[in-house]
Amino acid sequence: MSHSPKPLPAHPTSSDIRQSFFDFFRSKHHAIVPSSPVVLPTDPTLLFTNAGMNQFKDIFLGVRESEERRMADTQKCIRVSGKHNDLEEVGVDTYHHTFFEMLGNWSFGDYYKREAIAWAWELLTDVWKLPKDRLWATIYRHDDEAGDIWREVTDIDPAHILKFDEKDNFWEMGDTGPCGPCSEIHVDLTADGCSPDLVNAGSPEVMEIWNLVFIQYNRRGDGILEELPSKHVDTGMGLERIVSVLQGKTSNYDTDLFTPLIDKLKAMSGQPYEGESAIAMRVISDHIRTLALAIGDGVLPSNEGRGYVLRRLLRRAVRYGRKLGFERPFMTELLPVLRTILGHVFPELDDSKIGIERAIHAEEESFAATLDRGIALFDEVAGGLKKSGDTLFPGDAAFKLYDTYGFPVDLTRLMASEQGLALDEDGFHERMEEQRDRARAARKDAMMDESAELVADLIKQGVKSTFTGYDRLHQESAVTHIIAGDTFADVLEEGRHGEVMLKETPFYAESGGQVGDKGVLRGASGEFEVWDTRKPSEGLILHIGKVVQGQLKAGDAVYAEVDQEGRRRAARHHTGTHLLQAALKKLVGPSVKQAGSLVTPDRLRFDFTHFEAVSGDKLEQIERQVNEWVLGNTPVETYTMAFKDVPGSGITAVFDEKYGDVVRVVDIGGFSRELCGGTHVGATGDIGLFRIVGESSVASGVRRIEAVTGWAAYDVARREHEMIRHLAHRLSASPEEVVDRVEHALEQIRTYEKEKKQSARAAAAGRTDELLAAKVVVNGIDVIVGDAGEADMDGLRSMADTLMKKSPESVVLLGSRSGEKVSFICTAADSVVEKGFHAREIIAPVARIAGGGGGGRPNKAEAGGKKPEKLGDALAEASSLIAARLGGA
């Protein structure tokens, strides 16, 4: 039985409005479903989820069926790249965001245009009481059906129904995929009512609030539109925009979705919300939402892909933070406020609270060092341009700032403009394209070669194989298709490579981190060696290899045999991976999330979210726990369940893995339960032995454990035993005495090194006194410039600190040699800096003379060089530059 939704309160909150949307569509028999993560594994064409319908793409394409014909939700969306990219508008205008919530309702082959239009009008005008004379509807220029329905089922002013072309009213998720005509609803917020020419004109006073998409096509890679098996409805309404309308605000940032964040920034910075400060506060409040929710879904800042998008957003926010006076990490102070706004809607903000805070804080801290080094490079290049009279900042330097120091190009562009310089955009993009070309050349994937179009045709035809490999490793089957290069083939002759598809196959295709099976296909007329097995689409299993004897023909009966030992070893490592993750969650913390894995017959690799190295003691505990489970010989059970029942069940799912409506669970004694389609041992005892062989950092906030099982673990133990035996022989000790003997030898080495440093410090002390005696006075300021002799950078820093303590109101610049290198350091008292002295501006040209460069802060800068023979010339130049800067020349 349906119930009419409650009217909104007189002063609705964003939570009231979101809930009202849910209640309305629940009354129309829609299932209210949770948002998908911001990373959608079912669609590799998307960097981030950018629309409400992304998670349902397979349903629209007819690849899978939905258990519900009608659904509604609020979807987390991020738009920062590609076709839908709002980044440059964020903060400058008042209604674009990198993260936003998309309220949506869907029909999967159920209702269509008539109901979608009628219900949208009902919610907006009857429930939310928007004035009808302020609403406009746009339709696709060829969609007369939608226009007729608007006039039939609503009382909209017919003059407010406008036609537009593909640019405005034909919706496409990307360059490929589901698409169709749409009808947008716009609201007029002008004082006296707008004219038709303001609709779809980009005016913030007449803006789109709801898009009703009628999905009936799929656009292929070649641009051709194909009719979908059935017609669907996908609607999307940005929560931020509709909240601003219903709360009577002219800016999304004035709603309760943002004002608590902006109020916090005002309090933290002491800056008013106006002018450039207001833009900075809007950018930061937007970006913290994106960062927190993406990290909460398992994406971490890094140097590539999605991770780099987050890194760019964080650095963009930090740059705007500088405009508010923040020189220290500040972003995490906004997270408690964000949790009060969105935590009840997206519980991952609370569930992953510690991980989110650590990731953001670590990124801010690391960028502080990167920023200083990048600024030093920028200043060096900009200074040279000014001397030469050039006004174009070179693209290769901008690329180096991007590639080496992580500077987003918009940051370099801003810095250049502040110096009166233009950025060589073409040169920068040429270097970027060169890098992409190198990456493309290096990228190798068996499914992305000349056979890609043929594979796409098989997917379109719905061709599938049946996987039988959970229960057997060999069976009789038949060849259904052969791909040879860029064509389908009837026959594959001896020596020819190809990809073979069978009617049924026991070969496991690479998926979920587990590599594909190897083996052989034997037929009456030939033998095909399988090197790898891949699955470009669900059910489409390709055996990659070559004919090693005779020939293979389409239609041949074959006997498919998997490499049994390879499969068994892979199964041991896969079950071992599950046990490792269970041990990590138990001993390191429940917030640990899988960030990647590799399972091969020889080893396993498991990446997980964690913000510090796992200690040796902890690794020992983890290894012991896994081996306890192995010795327990617990049965490994599998069963299926509905994916919608997984949330809240305690079953582990991987955020970037692809799942259908029905999923397979691998359950090991209840202490390890994961969604997994891989192959496993029958009981944990089949693993034999588990050994951790390495723990390392993969990226900021991501650790990696490498381990081995079974015979591979035995080989590790045997090699360790042989190593200890060899050391014992060399040290003339028993194996039990090896550690003590090595510790004794190390202690002797440490004693020698300590004595060596003491001698060096004594020599440095004498040199310090000599340098202090040779100081000069420039305009009342002590200046100490000199050769510190043989010293590395640590020794140079120590000498400079000593001189500053003995002569605190001075400028010190020292140079030293260490092997084939030369080092410089320049320090200055704060009182000298206040008079305009800048250590970085002195040390950069000094280091250039010695074939190097450097950077730092106004009161301390460091540099290195490759020409020790130029040290004297460099120090002479340093004396001149310091004297000139202090007004003594």
Side-chain angles (χ1 to χ4, degrees):
M1 180 178 178
S2 63
H3 300 278
S4 298
K6 298 178 182 178
L8 284 175
H11 302 287
T13 66
S14 56
S15 295
D16 293 331
I17 295 165
R18 186 190 295 109
Q19 189 59 48
S20 176
F21 181 87
F22 293 159
D23 292 344
F24 178 83
F25 281 102
R26 188 178 286 111
S27 76
K28 304 300 183 185
H29 308 291
H30 287 63
I32 309 303
V33 299
S35 170
S36 74
V38 296
V39 172
L40 198 63
T42 54
D43 191 351
T45 66
L46 287 173
L47 198 63
F48 288 103
T49 302
N50 63 17
M53 59 77 63
N54 292 162
Q55 65 172 308
F56 304 118
K57 180 178 177 181
D58 281 355
I59 299 175
F60 294 138
L61 289 173
V63 175
R64 65 181 175 94
E65 293 186 2
S66 171
E67 292 186 352
E68 303 285 351
R69 303 295 295 277
R70 300 180 180 186
M71 293 187 189
D73 80 343
T74 181
Q75 172 63 49
K76 297 176 289 188
C77 296
I78 294 177
R79 291 185 180 176
V80 285
S81 61
K83 184 182 180 73
H84 297 289
N85 181 2
D86 298 333
L87 180 60
E88 297 305 321
E89 289 79 25
V90 171
V92 178
D93 65 24
T94 59
Y95 55 91
H96 275 104
H97 308 286
T98 57
F99 169 84
F100 60 95
E101 290 184 58
M102 184 70 83
L103 300 172
N105 60 286
W106 294 273
S107 164
F108 303 117
D110 187 26
Y111 62 83
Y112 199 46
K113 294 180 183 179
R114 180 173 295 273
E115 293 86 350
I117 291 172
W119 290 339
W121 189 254
E122 180 184 352
L123 177 61
L124 293 176
T125 61
D126 292 353
V127 179
W128 288 351
K129 305 300 182 184
L130 289 178
K132 297 175 182 179
D133 61 344
R134 289 302 184 111
L135 297 177
W136 294 74
T138 65
I139 59 175
Y140 180 47
R141 57 190 172 92
H142 295 310
D143 192 5
D144 292 331
E145 179 188 16
D148 292 341
I149 291 173
W150 269 107
R151 285 182 283 270
E152 291 172 14
V153 303
T154 77
D155 54 354
I156 190 174
D157 181 349
H160 283 204
I161 304 172
L162 307 176
K163 289 186 175 183
F164 288 87
D165 59 16
E166 286 88 346
K167 177 178 179 294
D168 295 301
N169 279 85
F170 193 91
W171 193 90
E172 298 181 82
M173 185 175 65
D175 294 331
T176 62
C179 56
C182 64
S183 180
E184 296 178 344
I185 302 172
H186 297 249
V187 62
D188 172 14
L189 303 175
T190 61
D192 302 316
C194 74
S195 58
D197 58 350
L198 283 180
V199 178
N200 266 341
S203 169
E205 292 187 308
V206 183
M207 62 182 179
E208 171 205 338
I209 55 171
W210 206 344
N211 190 6
L212 316 179
V213 181
F214 310 120
I215 297 178
Q216 61 190 82
Y217 303 112
N218 175 51
R219 188 179 294 280
R220 299 190 340 188
D222 56 10
I224 294 176
L225 291 176
E226 300 174 325
E227 285 278 351
L228 291 171
S230 57
K231 293 180 172 64
H232 313 287
V233 170
D234 156 34
T235 85
M237 173 163 51
L239 176 69
E240 290 76 8
R241 289 191 182 185
I242 194 62
V243 168
S244 70
V245 172
L246 293 174
Q247 290 184 353
K249 306 296 184 182
T250 58
S251 165
N252 294 358
Y253 293 95
D254 291 339
T255 70
D256 64 345
L257 289 168
F258 290 94
T259 51
L261 291 168
I262 291 173
D263 289 343
K264 179 66 173 178
L265 285 167
K266 286 161 59 180
M268 290 165 58
S269 67
Q271 299 278 352
Y273 182 61
E274 58 186 33
E276 290 296 316
S277 294
I279 292 176
M281 291 180 190
R282 290 196 290 267
V283 169
I284 294 167
S285 62
D286 170 89
H287 288 7
I288 191 64
R289 289 165 26 115
T290 307
L291 288 161
L293 284 153
I295 293 169
D297 276 344
V299 185
L300 290 168
S302 67
N303 281 330
E304 59 185 26
R306 301 179 182 103
Y308 186 71
V309 171
L310 295 193
R311 181 160 285 174
R312 182 185 179 194
L313 287 179
L314 187 139
R315 294 178 179 185
R316 196 167 185 265
V318 169
R319 184 247 293 184
Y320 277 102
R322 293 289 175 93
K323 292 179 178 291
L324 297 177
F326 296 128
E327 297 290 337
R328 56 173 175 78
F330 70 95
M331 297 280 284
T332 57
E333 296 178 46
L334 298 172
L335 293 174
V337 179
L338 180 62
R339 289 194 291 270
T340 65
I341 302 170
L342 293 178
H344 66 290
V345 187
F346 305 118
E348 57 272 19
L349 288 175
D350 284 307
D351 296 343
S352 302
K353 175 174 66 175
I354 295 174
I356 294 169
E357 290 176 351
R358 286 180 174 175
I360 291 176
H361 185 75
E363 278 296 305
E364 280 198 87
E365 282 196 322
S366 66
F367 186 45
T370 303
L371 185 60
D372 286 338
R373 294 195 299 270
I375 287 174
L377 172 62
F378 179 89
D379 287 346
E380 183 179 347
V381 175
L385 292 173
K386 287 184 178 180
K387 287 182 180 178
S388 65
D390 197 348
T391 60
L392 188 65
F393 193 89
D396 58 351
F399 176 79
K400 185 173 182 180
L401 285 169
Y402 163 84
D403 192 48
T404 305
Y405 299 104
F407 274 41
V409 69
D410 56 353
L411 175 56
T412 304
R413 188 183 300 116
L414 174 63
M415 293 169 62
S417 67
E418 291 172 348
Q419 298 288 331
L421 302 171
L423 178 63
D424 178 11
E425 305 271 358
D426 291 341
F428 172 78
H429 290 297
E430 284 175 11
R431 292 295 307 276
M432 285 292 293
E433 191 57 37
E434 289 171 5
Q435 186 186 60
R436 292 189 186 103
D437 289 343
R438 290 192 296 270
R440 292 187 194 105
R443 192 181 303 125
K444 184 178 181 181
D445 188 319
M447 291 298 100
M448 295 296 291
D449 58 9
E450 56 189 348
S451 68
E453 287 295 325
L454 303 181
V455 171
D457 285 342
L458 292 175
I459 294 172
K460 177 186 172 184
Q461 295 169 27
V463 175
K464 294 186 178 182
S465 296
T466 300
F467 174 62
T468 61
Y470 290 136
D471 304 315
R472 65 191 73 171
L473 294 178
H474 48 83
Q475 73 167 89
E476 293 181 351
S477 189
V479 177
T480 60
H481 296 82
I482 297 175
I483 297 175
D486 60 355
T487 184
F488 288 112
D490 293 325
V491 180
L492 202 61
E493 300 289 349
E494 185 171 324
R496 287 290 305 278
H497 300 179
E499 298 163 41
V500 176
M501 189 170 178
L502 305 180
K503 183 177 180 181
E504 294 181 328
T505 179
F507 282 76
Y508 180 82
E510 180 179 338
S511 180
Q514 181 176 336
V515 298
D517 280 336
K518 297 179 181 181
V520 64
L521 308 179
R522 306 184 196 277
S525 57
E527 187 174 298
F528 182 87
E529 183 179 352
V530 179
W531 301 332
D532 194 7
T533 310
R534 297 288 184 94
K535 183 171 62 174
S537 179
E538 189 61 37
L540 184 61
I541 301 173
L542 297 177
H543 308 76
I544 301 164
K546 77 172 183 177
V547 177
V548 294
Q549 179 184 330
Q551 62 178 208
L552 191 70
K553 293 183 291 186
D556 274 359
V558 294
Y559 195 71
E561 296 181 53
V562 174
D563 173 9
Q564 297 188 30
E565 181 57 23
R567 166 71 81 81
R568 290 191 185 102
R569 291 167 71 108
R572 292 188 193 109
H573 282 106
H574 205 151
T575 306
T577 302
H578 284 221
L579 295 180
L580 172 60
Q581 179 164 208
L584 284 166
K585 287 181 176 292
K586 177 181 178 180
L587 297 169
V588 175
S591 63
V592 163
K593 290 184 179 179
Q594 181 174 334
S597 71
L598 175 67
V599 175
T600 77
D602 302 315
R603 63 191 175 100
L604 69 88
R605 187 180 73 205
F606 186 74
D607 298 343
F608 58 98
T609 57
H610 194 54
F611 290 88
E612 59 187 6
V614 182
S615 69
D617 288 345
K618 187 68 70 174
L619 288 172
E620 184 178 343
Q621 293 175 36
I622 292 166
E623 184 177 274
R624 182 177 183 83
Q625 175 64 81
V626 172
N627 280 302
E628 285 181 4
W629 285 331
V630 169
L631 292 172
N633 200 29
T634 304
V636 177
E637 299 177 338
T638 62
Y639 51 86
T640 59
M641 65 184 294
F643 181 62
K644 65 181 179 63
D645 296 330
V646 172
S649 67
I651 296 173
T652 299
V654 183
F655 87 96
D656 63 349
E657 188 58 86
K658 178 176 180 178
Y659 300 115
D661 288 338
V662 177
V663 291
R664 179 174 181 256
V665 180
V666 176
D667 189 332
I668 309 175
F671 55 78
S672 171
R673 294 186 299 153
E674 294 190 37
L675 300 188
C676 180
T679 65
H680 290 268
V681 297
T684 58
D686 296 339
I687 291 173
L689 178 65
F690 175 91
R691 292 294 305 274
I692 293 174
V693 296
E695 193 274 349
S696 60
S697 172
V698 178
S700 177
V702 180
R703 307 298 301 182
R704 169 173 292 171
I705 286 180
E706 296 176 88
V708 289
T709 66
W711 284 111
Y714 167 79
D715 288 339
V716 168
R718 181 183 53 78
R719 287 194 300 270
E720 290 175 349
H721 175 75
E722 287 298 317
M723 186 185 340
I724 294 295
R725 189 185 64 79
H726 178 71
L727 283 172
H729 177 72
R730 292 296 302 272
L731 294 170
S732 299
S734 68
E736 291 78 13
E737 295 172 326
V738 165
V739 173
D740 288 340
R741 290 289 182 91
V742 171
E743 286 290 351
H744 180 68
L746 290 174
E747 184 59 36
Q748 289 180 314
I749 294 171
R750 283 193 288 267
T751 300
Y752 169 75
E753 292 291 344
K754 183 178 179 180
E755 291 171 352
K756 184 179 176 182
K757 287 182 179 180
Q758 287 173 344
S759 297
R761 279 198 293 269
R767 184 62 183 143
T768 300
D769 292 339
E770 294 175 11
L771 291 168
L772 193 60
K775 71 180 179 182
V776 297
V777 179
V778 180
N779 276 348
I781 299 170
D782 289 347
V783 177
I784 303 170
V785 176
D787 185 343
E790 288 285 339
D792 59 13
M793 184 56 78
D794 286 339
L796 205 58
R797 291 188 191 110
S798 176
M799 195 176 296
D801 290 343
T802 299
L803 286 168
M804 288 299 293
K805 288 176 183 177
K806 293 183 176 181
S807 181
E809 300 300 319
S810 63
V811 174
V812 174
L813 191 148
L814 303 177
S816 68
R817 301 171 185 82
S818 181
E820 296 300 316
K821 296 180 180 180
V822 60
S823 300
F824 297 95
I825 188 168
C826 181
T827 61
D830 290 343
S831 60
V832 180
V833 172
E834 290 170 1
K835 295 177 181 179
F837 186 86
H838 202 304
R840 187 178 71 234
E841 294 174 359
I842 299 295
I843 209 164
V846 170
R848 277 200 296 272
I849 294 173
R857 302 183 300 274
N859 65 338
K860 188 174 184 179
E862 297 176 354
K866 301 176 182 178
K867 300 177 180 179
E869 70 276 8
K870 294 290 187 179
L871 178 58
D873 295 340
L875 292 175
E877 176 69 8
S879 296
S880 299
L881 290 173
I882 293 171
R885 177 55 65 96
L886 297 178

